[in-house]
């Protein structure tokens, strides 16, 4: 009977530098502030646009086709809406990065999730649906 090889030592995961996490947090806060500012500018611009076209009798309730056409051709609305979308993407990206780092940290800190080399199947196939 051949002896089982000694288990390989589990290498600890390299910690994420604190400065990087702080950088991501700072960028997330900047993106959230930018999103708030751009949303407010867009809402003010849209309200001004709505008042202007309401005076002409063009509102979503009365003439949706002309309202949508006028709105799509307004460069200022398009500009501010693009800014809002940009900051929405930044908030999502930095938030996802921080969430992923936190999840990885928790996962690697929990020894229950580590795979023991002695229980790993040796033939290279996964041990799916195996009762053990």
């Amino acid at each position: 009977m051949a002896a089982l090889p000694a288990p390989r030592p589990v290498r600890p995961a390299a910690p994420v530098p604190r400065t990087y996490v702080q950088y991501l947090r700072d960028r997330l806060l900047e993106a959230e502030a930018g999103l708030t500012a751009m949303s407010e500018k867009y809402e003010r611009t849209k309200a001004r646009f709505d008042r202007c076209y309401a005076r002409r009798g063009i509102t979503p309730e009365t003439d949706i086709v002309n309202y949508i056409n006028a709105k799509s051709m307004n460069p200022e609305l398009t500009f501010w809406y693009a800014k809002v979308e940009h900051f929405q993407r930044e908030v999502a990206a930095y938030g996802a990065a921080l969430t992923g780092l936190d999840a990885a940290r928790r996962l690697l800190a929990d020894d229950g999730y580590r795979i023991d080399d002695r229980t790993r199947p040796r033939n290279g196939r996964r041990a799916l649906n195996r009762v053990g």
Side-chain angles (χ1 to χ4, degrees), residues 117-131:
D117 284 338
R118 290 174 288 173
T119 61
R120 188 176 289 166
R122 299 289 176 209
N123 62 1
R125 293 172 40 199
R126 301 181 87 177
L128 299 175
N129 298 327
R130 218 177 257 180
V131 178

Side-chain angles (χ1 to χ4, degrees), residues 38-116:
M38 294 304 122
S39 294
E40 289 171 0
K41 286 182 181 183
Y42 174 75
E43 290 301 321
R44 283 194 307 265
T45 304
K46 186 172 179 309
R48 190 170 56 243
F49 169 83
D50 286 343
R51 282 192 307 271
C52 176
Y53 277 85
R55 279 186 238 124
R56 298 180 191 174
I58 300 173
T59 65
E61 293 81 21
T62 60
D63 190 357
I64 189 68
V65 173
N66 283 326
Y67 178 83
I68 290 173
N69 287 339
K71 188 176 170 188
S72 67
M73 293 179 63
N74 187 305
E76 194 176 9
L77 280 176
T78 305
F79 174 78
W80 290 119
Y81 192 75
K83 290 288 191 179
V84 168
E85 287 179 326
H86 166 77
F87 283 104
Q88 285 174 335
R89 286 189 297 273
E90 277 199 356
V91 167
Y94 291 123
L98 286 168
T99 301
L101 288 173
D102 186 51
R105 179 190 53 77
R106 284 185 280 123
L107 184 70
L108 293 174
D110 185 5
D111 287 339
Y113 286 106
R114 290 202 177 127
I115 297 173
D116 185 13

